[in-house]
Amino acid sequence: MTDKSNKNPEYDKSLESESEFSEFKGIPLILPDDFNTPRDLDERIILEMSKLGEELDEKNKKREERKAHAMRFVVRFTAAAAILAMFVMITPLRNYVVSASNDVKSWIKDISSENNRKIEDSMSKENNDNRFENYYIISDKDFKGGIAYGDTLCIVPNGGEKDSVPIIEKSRLVTNTGDEQGRDYFHVWISDSNRIWISVERRVQRHAHLKVEIYYEDGTWYSREWDLITNLPEVRFSSVTPNGAAYEKAYAGEVFEPNYYVVVCDEHNNVRNVNYLKGTSRIKWSTTDESIATVDGNGVITCISPGYTIIKADTGLGNVNILNVKVLPPASNQTSSDSE
């Protein structure tokens, strides 16, 4: 039988170095063997833990905003220096060549070709290499129009039924919806292997409409439309208390994966896409107390000893949701008297 309390030393080390809760550690909670509190007390404890988690999140969010502000200043300063350096480099060419410089044209062409090559490689049938940082494959039936900014989706039309059929014509149209100028922030193209690619620039939250049409050599055609919503992805846990806090109860020694789903919502908090991030490394998991329960990179929780802890699921840029976990004494302690 596998020892449930074994922990990966490397993983423990990374958690210690990255833990944002180390300054809040207190005296461990020692509970009796028959530890099991009433439901109303459970909910009071969970509510307080939720409030604590929100306060910690707010503090960390402000810290991240200060870091982001400093980073933006550095980026702008660096960009200004780079533009100045480029101006100094190009100016001699303009001084000694009266007509348009072929050297400069060739230099610009080389840069453009290098950037385009990444797109051409990703669109090639023979090359399945992925050049994007956050890249997810999803079927057209599953895609409802929500995508996290900074990501690239590869949408498979009709379950890939037409992959081997040559394409005669393909078109895509991205238009604005409402007053928001969002069209230019969505980059959409169709590969010869019948894939629809959507990429979104980082730190841009916009809304646009996408229409795609593909005409095949066998006389058939494909047409779909989506409202493109760009927002932060969010983890939502299935088990909640009446006050709305996510809550799980388990026994020491138990290993389980909580029921959750990942959504992208529009500006009215309506769900537009579900689970295209689930199971990926995009979600960063952590626990407030490793002596009570640990969590691995896939969200699998291992209960260590009786008590309460908070499991956090971070999908980036401070977008954190929490699961309150109550760990009871080992199940064998609860059932031994019944078996007698």
Coordinates of all heavy atoms in Angstrom, one line a residue, residues 150-208:
G150 N -3.6 36.5 -23.9 CA -2.3 36.0 -23.9 C -2.2 34.6 -24.4 O -1.2 34.0 -24.5
D151 N -3.4 34.0 -24.7 CA -3.4 32.6 -25.1 C -3.6 32.4 -26.6 O -4.0 33.4 -27.3 CB -4.6 31.8 -24.4 CG -4.3 31.6 -22.9 OD1 -3.2 31.7 -22.5 OD2 -5.3 31.3 -22.2
T152 N -3.4 31.2 -27.1 CA -3.7 30.9 -28.5 C -4.5 29.6 -28.5 O -4.1 28.6 -27.9 CB -2.4 30.7 -29.3 OG1 -1.7 31.9 -29.4 CG2 -2.8 30.3 -30.7
L153 N -5.7 29.7 -29.2 CA -6.5 28.5 -29.3 C -6.4 27.9 -30.7 O -6.3 28.7 -31.7 CB -8.0 28.8 -29.1 CG -8.4 29.0 -27.6 CD1 -10.0 29.2 -27.6 CD2 -8.0 27.9 -26.7
C154 N -6.3 26.6 -30.8 CA -6.4 25.9 -32.1 C -7.8 25.2 -32.1 O -7.9 24.2 -31.4 CB -5.3 24.9 -32.3 SG -5.3 24.0 -33.8
I155 N -8.7 25.7 -32.9 CA -10.1 25.1 -32.9 C -10.2 24.1 -34.1 O -9.8 24.3 -35.2 CB -11.1 26.2 -33.1 CG1 -11.0 27.2 -32.0 CG2 -12.5 25.6 -33.2 CD1 -11.9 28.4 -32.2
V156 N -10.7 22.9 -33.8 CA -10.8 21.8 -34.7 C -12.2 21.8 -35.2 O -13.1 21.4 -34.5 CB -10.4 20.4 -34.1 CG1 -10.5 19.3 -35.1 CG2 -9.0 20.5 -33.4
P157 N -12.5 22.1 -36.5 CA -13.8 22.1 -37.1 C -14.3 20.7 -37.3 O -13.6 19.8 -37.7 CB -13.7 22.8 -38.4 CG -12.3 23.5 -38.4 CD -11.5 22.7 -37.5
N158 N -15.6 20.5 -36.9 CA -16.3 19.2 -37.1 C -15.5 18.0 -36.7 O -15.6 16.9 -37.3 CB -16.6 19.1 -38.6 CG -17.7 20.0 -39.1 OD1 -18.5 20.5 -38.3 ND2 -17.6 20.4 -40.3
G159 N -14.8 18.1 -35.6 CA -14.1 17.0 -35.1 C -12.9 16.5 -36.0 O -12.5 15.4 -35.9
G160 N -12.5 17.4 -36.9 CA -11.4 17.0 -37.8 C -11.8 16.1 -39.0 O -10.9 15.5 -39.6
E161 N -13.1 16.0 -39.3 CA -13.6 15.1 -40.3 C -13.0 15.5 -41.7 O -12.8 14.7 -42.6 CB -15.1 15.1 -40.4 CG -15.7 14.5 -39.2 CD -17.3 14.5 -39.3 OE1 -17.8 15.0 -40.3 OE2 -17.9 14.1 -38.3
K162 N -12.8 16.8 -41.9 CA -12.4 17.3 -43.3 C -10.9 17.6 -43.4 O -10.4 18.2 -44.3 CB -13.1 18.6 -43.6 CG -14.6 18.4 -43.7 CD -15.0 17.7 -45.0 CE -16.5 17.6 -45.2 NZ -16.8 16.9 -46.4
D163 N -10.1 17.0 -42.4 CA -8.6 17.3 -42.4 C -8.0 16.9 -43.7 O -7.0 17.6 -44.2 CB -8.0 16.6 -41.2 CG -8.1 17.4 -39.9 OD1 -8.7 18.5 -40.0 OD2 -7.7 16.9 -38.9
S164 N -8.4 15.8 -44.3 CA -7.7 15.3 -45.5 C -8.3 15.8 -46.8 O -7.8 15.5 -47.9 CB -7.8 13.7 -45.5 OG -9.2 13.3 -45.5
V165 N -9.3 16.6 -46.7 CA -10.0 17.2 -47.9 C -9.3 18.5 -48.3 O -9.3 19.4 -47.4 CB -11.5 17.4 -47.7 CG1 -12.1 17.9 -49.0 CG2 -12.2 16.1 -47.3
P166 N -8.8 18.7 -49.5 CA -8.2 19.9 -49.9 C -9.1 21.1 -49.8 O -10.3 21.0 -50.0 CB -7.7 19.7 -51.3 CG -7.6 18.2 -51.5 CD -8.7 17.7 -50.6
I167 N -8.6 22.3 -49.4 CA -9.4 23.5 -49.2 C -9.3 24.4 -50.5 O -8.2 24.6 -51.0 CB -8.9 24.3 -48.0 CG1 -9.1 23.5 -46.7 CG2 -9.7 25.6 -47.9 CD1 -8.6 24.1 -45.5
I168 N -10.5 24.8 -51.0 CA -10.5 25.6 -52.2 C -10.4 27.1 -51.8 O -9.6 27.9 -52.3 CB -11.8 25.4 -53.0 CG1 -11.8 24.0 -53.6 CG2 -11.8 26.5 -54.1 CD1 -13.1 23.7 -54.3
E169 N -11.1 27.5 -50.7 CA -11.2 28.8 -50.3 C -11.4 28.9 -48.8 O -12.2 28.1 -48.3 CB -12.3 29.6 -51.0 CG -12.3 31.1 -50.7 CD -13.5 31.8 -51.4 OE1 -14.1 31.2 -52.4 OE2 -13.8 32.9 -51.1
K170 N -10.8 29.9 -48.1 CA -11.0 30.0 -46.7 C -11.0 31.5 -46.4 O -10.3 32.3 -46.9 CB -9.9 29.3 -45.9 CG -8.5 29.7 -46.3 CD -7.5 28.8 -45.7 CE -6.1 29.1 -46.2 NZ -5.1 28.1 -45.7
S171 N -11.9 31.9 -45.5 CA -12.0 33.3 -45.1 C -12.4 33.4 -43.7 O -13.0 32.6 -43.1 CB -13.1 34.0 -46.0 OG -14.4 33.5 -45.7
R172 N -12.0 34.5 -43.1 CA -12.4 34.8 -41.7 C -12.6 36.3 -41.6 O -11.9 37.1 -42.2 CB -11.3 34.3 -40.7 CG -10.2 35.2 -40.4 CD -9.1 35.2 -41.5 NE -7.9 36.0 -41.1 CZ -7.9 37.3 -41.3 NH1 -8.9 38.0 -41.7 NH2 -6.8 37.9 -41.0
L173 N -13.5 36.7 -40.8 CA -13.9 38.1 -40.6 C -14.0 38.4 -39.1 O -14.8 37.8 -38.5 CB -15.2 38.5 -41.4 CG -15.7 39.9 -41.2 CD1 -14.7 40.9 -41.9 CD2 -17.0 40.1 -41.9
V174 N -13.2 39.4 -38.6 CA -13.4 39.8 -37.2 C -13.9 41.2 -37.2 O -13.2 42.1 -37.8 CB -12.0 39.7 -36.5 CG1 -12.2 40.1 -35.0 CG2 -11.4 38.3 -36.6
T175 N -15.0 41.4 -36.6 CA -15.6 42.8 -36.5 C -15.9 43.2 -35.1 O -16.0 42.3 -34.2 CB -16.9 42.8 -37.3 OG1 -17.8 41.8 -36.8 CG2 -16.7 42.6 -38.8
N176 N -16.0 44.5 -34.9 CA -16.2 45.0 -33.5 C -17.7 44.8 -33.2 O -18.6 44.7 -34.0 CB -15.9 46.5 -33.4 CG -14.5 46.8 -33.7 OD1 -13.6 45.9 -33.4 ND2 -14.1 48.0 -34.1
T177 N -18.0 44.6 -31.9 CA -19.3 44.6 -31.4 C -19.5 45.7 -30.4 O -18.8 45.7 -29.4 CB -19.7 43.2 -30.8 OG1 -18.8 43.0 -29.7 CG2 -19.5 42.1 -31.8
G178 N -20.5 46.5 -30.6 CA -20.7 47.6 -29.6 C -19.6 48.7 -29.8 O -19.1 48.9 -30.9
D179 N -19.3 49.4 -28.8 CA -18.4 50.6 -28.8 C -16.9 50.2 -28.6 O -16.0 51.0 -28.8 CB -18.8 51.7 -27.8 CG -20.2 52.2 -28.1 OD1 -20.5 52.2 -29.3 OD2 -20.9 52.6 -27.2
E180 N -16.7 49.0 -28.1 CA -15.3 48.6 -27.8 C -14.5 48.3 -29.1 O -15.0 47.6 -30.0 CB -15.3 47.4 -26.9 CG -15.8 47.7 -25.5 CD -15.6 46.5 -24.6 OE1 -16.3 45.5 -24.8 OE2 -14.8 46.6 -23.6
Q181 N -13.3 48.8 -29.1 CA -12.5 48.6 -30.3 C -11.6 47.3 -30.0 O -10.6 47.4 -29.4 CB -11.5 49.8 -30.5 CG -12.3 51.1 -30.8 CD -13.2 51.0 -32.1 OE1 -12.7 50.6 -33.1 NE2 -14.4 51.4 -32.0
G182 N -12.1 46.2 -30.4 CA -11.5 44.9 -30.1 C -11.0 44.1 -31.3 O -10.3 43.2 -31.1
R183 N -11.3 44.5 -32.5 CA -11.0 43.7 -33.6 C -9.6 43.4 -33.8 O -9.1 42.2 -34.0 CB -11.6 44.3 -34.9 CG -11.3 43.5 -36.2 CD -11.7 44.3 -37.4 NE -11.1 45.6 -37.4 CZ -11.2 46.5 -38.4 NH1 -12.0 46.2 -39.4 NH2 -10.5 47.7 -38.3
D184 N -8.7 44.4 -33.7 CA -7.3 44.3 -34.0 C -6.5 43.5 -32.9 O -5.4 43.2 -33.1 CB -6.7 45.7 -34.2 CG -7.3 46.4 -35.4 OD1 -7.7 45.7 -36.3 OD2 -7.2 47.6 -35.4
Y185 N -7.2 43.2 -31.8 CA -6.5 42.5 -30.7 C -6.7 41.0 -30.9 O -6.0 40.3 -30.2 CB -7.0 43.0 -29.4 CG -6.6 44.4 -29.1 CD1 -7.6 45.4 -29.3 CD2 -5.3 44.8 -28.7 CE1 -7.2 46.8 -29.1 CE2 -5.0 46.1 -28.5 CZ -6.0 47.1 -28.6 OH -5.6 48.4 -28.4
F186 N -7.6 40.6 -31.7 CA -7.7 39.1 -32.0 C -7.1 38.8 -33.3 O -7.4 39.4 -34.4 CB -9.2 38.8 -32.1 CG -10.0 38.9 -30.8 CD1 -10.6 40.1 -30.4 CD2 -10.0 37.8 -29.9 CE1 -11.3 40.2 -29.2 CE2 -10.7 38.0 -28.7 CZ -11.3 39.1 -28.4
H187 N -6.1 37.9 -33.3 CA -5.5 37.5 -34.6 C -6.0 36.1 -34.9 O -5.9 35.1 -34.2 CB -3.9 37.4 -34.3 CG -3.4 38.7 -33.8 ND1 -3.3 39.9 -34.6 CD2 -3.0 39.1 -32.6 CE1 -2.8 40.8 -33.8 NE2 -2.6 40.4 -32.6
V188 N -6.6 36.0 -36.1 CA -7.3 34.8 -36.5 C -6.8 34.4 -37.9 O -6.7 35.2 -38.8 CB -8.8 35.0 -36.6 CG1 -9.5 33.7 -37.0 CG2 -9.4 35.5 -35.2
W189 N -6.5 33.1 -38.1 CA -6.1 32.6 -39.4 C -6.5 31.1 -39.5 O -6.8 30.5 -38.5 CB -4.7 32.8 -39.7 CG -3.7 32.0 -38.8 CD1 -3.1 30.9 -39.1 CD2 -3.2 32.5 -37.6 NE1 -2.3 30.5 -38.1 CE2 -2.3 31.5 -37.1 CE3 -3.4 33.6 -36.8 CZ2 -1.6 31.5 -35.9 CZ3 -2.7 33.7 -35.6 CH2 -1.9 32.7 -35.2
I190 N -6.6 30.6 -40.7 CA -7.0 29.2 -41.0 C -5.9 28.5 -41.7 O -5.4 29.0 -42.7 CB -8.3 29.2 -41.8 CG1 -9.4 30.0 -41.2 CG2 -8.7 27.7 -42.1 CD1 -10.6 30.2 -42.1
S191 N -5.4 27.4 -41.1 CA -4.3 26.7 -41.7 C -4.8 25.7 -42.8 O -6.0 25.4 -42.9 CB -3.6 25.9 -40.6 OG -4.4 24.8 -40.2
D192 N -3.9 25.3 -43.6 CA -4.3 24.3 -44.7 C -4.7 23.0 -44.1 O -5.3 22.2 -44.8 CB -3.1 24.1 -45.6 CG -2.8 25.4 -46.5 OD1 -3.8 26.1 -46.7 OD2 -1.7 25.6 -46.9
S193 N -4.4 22.7 -42.9 CA -4.8 21.5 -42.2 C -6.2 21.6 -41.6 O -6.5 20.8 -40.7 CB -3.8 21.0 -41.2 OG -3.6 22.0 -40.2
N194 N -6.9 22.7 -42.0 CA -8.3 22.8 -41.5 C -8.4 23.3 -40.1 O -9.5 23.1 -39.5 CB -9.0 21.5 -41.7 CG -10.5 21.7 -41.6 OD1 -11.1 22.7 -41.9 ND2 -11.2 20.6 -41.2
R195 N -7.4 23.9 -39.5 CA -7.4 24.4 -38.2 C -7.7 25.9 -38.1 O -7.2 26.6 -38.9 CB -6.1 24.1 -37.4 CG -5.8 22.6 -37.3 CD -6.9 21.9 -36.4 NE -6.5 20.6 -36.0 CZ -7.0 19.5 -36.5 NH1 -7.9 19.6 -37.5 NH2 -6.6 18.3 -36.1
I196 N -8.5 26.3 -37.2 CA -8.8 27.7 -37.0 C -8.0 28.2 -35.8 O -8.1 27.7 -34.7 CB -10.3 28.0 -36.7 CG1 -11.1 27.5 -37.9 CG2 -10.6 29.5 -36.5 CD1 -12.6 27.3 -37.6
W197 N -7.1 29.2 -36.0 CA -6.2 29.6 -34.9 C -6.7 31.0 -34.4 O -7.0 31.9 -35.2 CB -4.8 29.8 -35.4 CG -4.2 28.5 -35.8 CD1 -4.4 27.7 -36.9 CD2 -3.2 27.8 -35.0 NE1 -3.6 26.6 -36.9 CE2 -2.9 26.6 -35.8 CE3 -2.5 28.0 -33.9 CZ2 -1.9 25.7 -35.3 CZ3 -1.5 27.1 -33.4 CH2 -1.2 26.0 -34.2
I198 N -6.8 31.2 -33.1 CA -7.2 32.5 -32.5 C -6.1 32.8 -31.4 O -5.9 32.0 -30.5 CB -8.5 32.4 -31.8 CG1 -9.6 32.0 -32.8 CG2 -8.9 33.8 -31.3 CD1 -11.0 31.9 -32.2
S199 N -5.4 33.9 -31.6 CA -4.5 34.3 -30.6 C -4.9 35.7 -30.1 O -5.5 36.5 -30.9 CB -3.1 34.4 -31.1 OG -2.9 35.3 -32.1
V200 N -4.6 36.0 -28.9 CA -5.0 37.3 -28.3 C -3.8 37.9 -27.6 O -3.1 37.3 -26.9 CB -6.1 37.1 -27.2 CG1 -6.6 38.4 -26.7 CG2 -7.3 36.3 -27.8
E201 N -3.6 39.2 -27.8 CA -2.5 39.9 -27.2 C -2.6 40.0 -25.7 O -3.7 40.0 -25.2 CB -2.4 41.4 -27.8 CG -2.0 41.4 -29.2 CD -1.9 42.9 -29.7 OE1 -2.1 43.8 -28.9 OE2 -1.5 43.1 -30.9
R202 N -1.5 40.0 -25.0 CA -1.5 40.0 -23.6 C -2.1 41.3 -23.0 O -2.0 42.4 -23.6 CB -0.1 39.8 -23.0 CG 0.5 38.5 -23.3 CD 1.8 38.3 -22.6 NE 2.2 36.9 -22.7 CZ 1.8 35.9 -22.1 NH1 0.8 36.0 -21.3 NH2 2.3 34.7 -22.3
R203 N -2.7 41.2 -21.8 CA -3.2 42.4 -21.1 C -4.2 43.2 -21.9 O -4.3 44.4 -21.8 CB -2.1 43.3 -20.6 CG -1.1 42.5 -19.7 CD -0.1 43.5 -19.1 NE 0.8 42.7 -18.2 CZ 0.6 42.5 -16.9 NH1 -0.6 42.9 -16.4 NH2 1.4 41.8 -16.2
V204 N -5.0 42.5 -22.8 CA -6.0 43.2 -23.5 C -7.3 42.5 -23.3 O -7.5 41.3 -23.5 CB -5.7 43.2 -25.1 CG1 -6.8 43.8 -25.8 CG2 -4.4 43.9 -25.3
Q205 N -8.3 43.2 -22.8 CA -9.6 42.6 -22.6 C -10.6 43.3 -23.5 O -11.0 44.5 -23.4 CB -10.1 42.8 -21.1 CG -9.2 42.2 -20.1 CD -9.7 42.2 -18.7 OE1 -10.9 41.9 -18.5 NE2 -8.9 42.5 -17.8
R206 N -11.0 42.6 -24.6 CA -11.9 43.2 -25.6 C -13.0 42.2 -26.0 O -13.0 41.1 -25.6 CB -11.0 43.5 -26.9 CG -9.9 44.5 -26.6 CD -10.4 45.9 -26.3 NE -9.3 46.8 -26.0 CZ -9.4 48.1 -25.8 NH1 -10.6 48.6 -25.7 NH2 -8.4 48.8 -25.5
H207 N -13.9 42.7 -26.9 CA -15.0 41.9 -27.4 C -15.1 42.1 -28.9 O -15.1 43.3 -29.3 CB -16.3 42.4 -26.6 CG -17.5 41.6 -27.0 ND1 -18.7 42.0 -26.6 CD2 -17.6 40.4 -27.6 CE1 -19.6 41.1 -27.0 NE2 -19.0 40.2 -27.6
A208 N -15.2 41.1 -29.6 CA -15.4 41.2 -31.1 C -16.2 40.0 -31.6 O -16.5 39.0 -30.8 CB -14.0 41.2 -31.8

